[in-house]
Amino acid sequence: MKPRIRVYTATVVTVLAFATLPVVLRAQSAPQVARSGDGVVAAAQPLAAAAGARMLELGGNAADAAVAAAFAISVVEPSMNSVGGRNQILIRTPDGKIAGIDGTTSVPLGYDPATAPSAAYGYATVGVPGAVAGLMRLHEEYGSLPLTTVMAPAIDYAEHGFRLLPGEARRQAGSRAQVAESEGARRYYLKPDGSPWQPGDRLVQSDMAATLKAISLGGGDAFYRGGIADRIAADMAANGGFLTHEALDAYRAEDSRIVRGSYRGFEIVGSDIPASGAVAILALHIAEEFDPDSMSDEAWGSVIAQSLALAMTQYRRDSSDSSAVRVTSKAFARELAEQVRVPSAATMESGSRSGAAMSPLSLALAAGDRDLWLPPDEGHTTHLSAADGNGMAVALTQTIGPGMGAKVATPGLGFLYAVTLGGYLGISEPGERARSGITPLMVLDDGEPLLVLGAAGGIRIISAVVQAVTRVIDDGLALPAALAAPRVHPDFGPEGLAGFAVEAGPEDGWSEASVEAFRDMGFDITATPRQGAFGRIHGLQYDAATGTWTGAADPDWEGAAVAPRPAGVSGGN
């Protein structure tokens, strides 16, 4: 189907702003769009993107860039991720092969869910960290530069400090009371008087620098089986945690199960459970059954929201090859698509909402699995994308769960742990890995990369990634404009689909007229103006005709896209 260009009332100014480069974030002088034939790195914090781009300048590849950016982002965006957290990594090699690495946190061996406390944060929520193992596999199997070189920027940021951006300072301050309960977390993320760090303050993390140096010299063994592991195990034992030295030693980053689908002739590739690539593919397969050119922008938005809602009913399915085949099949998508209600022009013109309060879709969900469980609808996690000039690309999502994770840190190590236990992710069995909305995704065109995506934002990660794909393929938008376009997200209640949340606001959301149009279709609508509430994508788009990568940071965040400087060009990022 030939793409068409849509115009969204409240986003015209934002979309047109991406027509010229560079685009600069409001709060800082960091470009949010970059183009280069030698690759680009897009990340949620400018220093992390710069660290990745520096590896490309040194002759490294996309794997080197992604590892450098991932370690750096754990230092400069600690509210969203950590080496004590988890990651999911999707890789395209220069010869076109797709691989995935599962660095998800897991339930420690010996954990007993019957006697373990239910908690939202604290030592009792800490599982086995997987981020370091995931990054080590990425570097060992795909990288080209020495690990000491790749980790040097992160060590530098930790040892010499960096200026806190306003958003990061705000998130850290929001967890002040809980962070203060942990000796280690209080030491690292509050001032000596107990007050939070302010925007522009220089945050120095000497203990974190020492931990990173140990990893750079000793690799994964230094973290999981050496002195770091000794400290972690002792701290956990002293504070009621379940993470043991044995559990750390047994942890391995695994191969991800790769899932595939297609959308209007473009191949879609993602990672399955514990990631949510299959759910995103299913949503796209359902949406593919409908023609956006035959309906208004708002009607198409409602179709996307319903497609996402139906796909998310498969979130808690079994983790198996047969289940993955079923969920990503076009036949299954066609069955689900029969439940989507496409608003008619007459419905919208009538403005009558009383007769459509319970649509066919919401009835189907309410009558189905009432045990539908989705991860918390929170704005946590970080994502970065990296590519080089030789065809390698990496989509990497890293997280510690809610803001500041478990809100605890081991004194002497300098990093926060992810929330894994206690009911937050609905898992409890020893060895089980934390299922989440994390969705690293790639779109291929005749085998060549078109989009390299992923997002932050809890379960809204899936919604954000799906809508970025449709904006590019259906609407013909360049990726920066696609990220600026307004989004929708299904809201679930105890009985199933409760309605839709729509991104609203004067700068980059659906207009008031569009919000009213949604309501006139008979849907319960929650208009949400908060920036970043609908996921934040940091992704790449490739133009095979020119051999050019375009990196784009989500305009709702403080991230950046950075390209390597041409050889012989001086200056620093």
Side-chain angles (χ1 to χ4, degrees), residues 188-261:
Y188 302 127
Y189 297 104
L190 293 175
K191 294 181 179 180
D193 65 358
S195 63
W197 297 98
Q198 298 298 309
D201 284 347
R202 180 175 290 277
L203 183 60
V204 176
Q205 301 172 86
S206 300
D207 287 350
M208 177 69 159
T211 295
L212 294 174
K213 286 179 182 177
I215 296 170
S216 75
L217 295 172
D221 282 346
F223 186 88
Y224 291 95
R225 286 163 280 283
I228 296 173
D230 293 339
R231 284 194 174 192
I232 292 172
D235 186 37
M236 294 292 158
N239 291 281
F242 298 98
L243 179 55
T244 64
H245 207 297
E246 292 73 19
L248 286 163
D249 182 71
Y251 185 87
R252 299 292 185 271
E254 300 178 345
D255 292 339
S256 299
R257 179 187 290 114
I258 301 301
V259 285
R260 298 174 183 267

Side-chain angles (χ1 to χ4, degrees), residues 65 103 110 154 175 245 264 308 363 415 442 461 468 497 500 518 546 556:
S175 297
H245 207 297
R264 308 201 195 279
L308 286 163
L363 280 170
F415 60 85
M442 294 188 187
I461 289 172
L497 185 67
F500 307 144
F518 279 117
T546 63
D556 271 2

Side-chain angles (χ1 to χ4, degrees), residues 234-299:
D235 186 37
M236 294 292 158
N239 291 281
F242 298 98
L243 179 55
T244 64
H245 207 297
E246 292 73 19
L248 286 163
D249 182 71
Y251 185 87
R252 299 292 185 271
E254 300 178 345
D255 292 339
S256 299
R257 179 187 290 114
I258 301 301
V259 285
R260 298 174 183 267
S262 66
Y263 186 71
R264 308 201 195 279
F266 296 89
E267 185 179 6
I268 313 295
V269 185
S271 303
D272 198 21
I273 296 171
S276 291
V279 177
I281 288 171
L282 177 56
L284 288 166
H285 283 176
I286 296 170
E288 189 179 29
E289 295 296 309
F290 303 92
D291 178 11
D293 289 333
S294 68
M295 61 188 81
S296 69
D297 298 332
E298 294 82 8

Side-chain angles (χ1 to χ4, degrees), residues 123 177-187 406-411:
Y123 282 91
Q178 298 94 331
V179 165
E181 298 176 26
S182 162
E183 177 190 348
R186 182 172 65 248
R187 178 192 303 181
K407 280 87 171 174
V408 298
T410 296

Side-chain angles (χ1 to χ4, degrees), residues 503-557:
E503 187 174 14
E507 294 185 3
D508 53 8
W510 292 95
S511 67
E512 291 184 9
S514 290
V515 173
E516 287 305 304
F518 279 117
R519 290 181 172 137
D520 287 342
M521 297 175 203
F523 298 114
D524 290 331
I525 298 299
T526 301
T528 306
R530 181 169 59 86
Q531 284 193 329
F534 287 78
R536 291 96 53 193
I537 291 176
H538 295 85
L540 309 173
Q541 183 174 19
Y542 183 65
D543 184 342
T546 63
T548 303
W549 287 98
T550 297
D554 199 295
D556 271 2
W557 209 246

Side-chain angles (χ1 to χ4, degrees), residues 117-135:
S118 177
Y121 66 96
Y123 282 91
T125 68
V126 177
V128 188
V132 171
L135 295 179

Side-chain angles (χ1 to χ4, degrees), residues 12 54 57 86 88 122 140 160 188 202 215 230 248 315 350 377 393 412 430 446 452 462 523 561:
V12 173
R54 179 58 179 155
E57 293 169 359
R86 50 186 170 266
Q88 281 281 336
E140 291 164 5
H160 298 103
Y188 302 127
R202 180 175 290 277
I215 296 170
D230 293 339
L248 286 163
Y315 180 84
S350 70
D377 194 357
D446 292 329
V452 179
I462 303 170
F523 298 114

